[in-house]
Amino acid sequence: MKLAVVMDPIERIKPEKDGTLDLLLSAQSFGYEVTRFHSEELKIIDGRPLGIGRSITVNDDVKNWFAYGTENEFCLSDFDVILMRKDPPFDMEYIYATYILDLAKMGGAKVINDPSAIRNLNEKVSITMFPSVTPPTLVTSNQSDLESFLNQQEKIVVKPLDGMGGRSIFIVEKGEPNTNTIFEEMTRDNSKTIMAQKYIPEIKDGDKRIHLVFGNHVDMALARVPSEKDHRGNLVMGAVGEVRKLTQRDIEICKTIGGTLLKGGVYFAGIDVIGDYLSEINITSPTGMREISKNSDVNVSDRFFEALQKSN
């Protein structure tokens, strides 16, 4: 079995935390031969999706986590599975890569996640399909809308629709003197669409990352508890990870959204849950698997490949 992965340079990852490395370790254990591609190495010639790739072997070793083999040009349709694991920003180059992966899918490769799902389901906006399990949420570029929403909710979180890792996320309280400045900068004077959500105080107890594998939840979550110096529940921003069992509410949220995501071509997702609410659906390159496998008897990536084999 042959597996291709489109990812950022593996030389630059943090092997102790990187979710793509975790998936590749599991892929090897399930018998896949792995080939690494960068998105800028993909191309189309006469309707054939091609790319310059390098065979790769990975190791569970923070000092020696990969070894390259030979480099060749490949037709992407010849792979059994293609993992699209390039990190955002989700820009037009990302979109162009999904067009090439569309051709690979047409040629018989299983692309995860489906290229159309990656294009259609923005990781922030997609939660609006499930209002019964989300906090009060506004998507707009209009500063007056944001001001009205803030007056209603009194304390909100505003964030861009194309970011990751907690970047450019602000907490705004009613009456804060910098409110207009934040709204102006975030919306670029009413020209850029952003998201605002009611502030959920349970963020102090952790922003839970829960994985959905072919529509079904994995039993353990990674709670990212913000530090005293930062309000964001992101490990790269200093939050501390704690592995916890899912609550009944967590399971309810997963059941509410799992079937819809699977039907839309999302085979692997990392959803974020704060308190009783769904806050994001990550489908480009969700992480958190390394921490869960190291601190529990649940291996999320193995669960994924088990489900993948059953789906074929």
Side-chain angles (χ1 to χ4, degrees), residues 16-19 203 205-212 218-226 233-236 239-247 250 270-275 282 286-296 298 300:
E16 66 275 11
K17 296 181 178 181
D18 192 80
I203 183 62
D205 299 322
D207 181 350
K208 288 178 285 187
R209 166 58 54 84
I210 302 170
H211 296 92
L212 289 175
V218 178
D219 300 328
M220 304 298 288
L222 175 65
R224 299 157 296 182
V225 182
N234 301 87
L235 298 181
V236 295
V240 177
E242 297 179 3
V243 176
R244 302 174 185 170
K245 290 184 177 181
L246 269 59
T247 66
D250 295 336
I271 68 171
D272 294 341
V273 174
I274 304 173
N282 299 275
T287 61
M289 301 88 83
R290 295 284 278 166
E291 290 85 355
I292 291 175
S293 63
K294 288 180 180 179
N295 294 283
S296 74
V298 174
V300 178

Side-chain angles (χ1 to χ4, degrees), residues 52-110:
I52 303 298
R54 295 189 70 175
S55 61
I56 190 171
T57 302
V58 291
N59 308 297
D60 193 3
D61 184 336
V62 296
K63 294 184 179 181
N64 182 32
W65 62 90
F66 75 98
Y68 277 135
T70 57
E71 180 176 278
N72 290 289
E73 183 174 82
F74 296 88
C75 179
L76 299 177
S77 299
D78 292 337
F79 288 90
D80 299 291
V81 179
I82 302 175
L83 300 180
M84 179 49 161
R85 291 285 305 182
K86 186 183 185 308
D87 287 340
F90 190 79
D91 53 15
M92 285 307 300
E93 286 301 316
Y94 212 118
I95 296 289
Y96 298 149
T98 67
Y99 293 153
I100 300 173
L101 294 177
D102 271 332
L103 289 176
K105 175 188 172 184
M106 291 172 59
K110 181 81 168 181

Side-chain angles (χ1 to χ4, degrees), residues 143-163:
Q143 293 180 46
S144 296
D145 291 341
L146 292 165
E147 291 168 5
S148 297
F149 188 70
L150 176 58
N151 287 331
Q152 293 171 3
Q153 305 301 334
E154 298 190 340
K155 189 174 183 178
I156 64 174
V157 176
V158 293
K159 51 189 172 182
L161 299 181
D162 57 356

Side-chain angles (χ1 to χ4, degrees), residues 157-159 164-171 199 203-204 206-207 224-240 274:
V157 176
V158 293
K159 51 189 172 182
M164 65 169 290
R167 299 185 186 95
S168 301
I169 295 178
F170 293 90
I171 294 177
Y199 175 78
I203 183 62
K204 297 176 181 177
D207 181 350
R224 299 157 296 182
V225 182
S227 68
E228 295 181 358
K229 299 180 180 180
D230 200 305
H231 63 268
R232 292 168 290 187
N234 301 87
L235 298 181
V236 295
M237 296 299 174
V240 177
I274 304 173

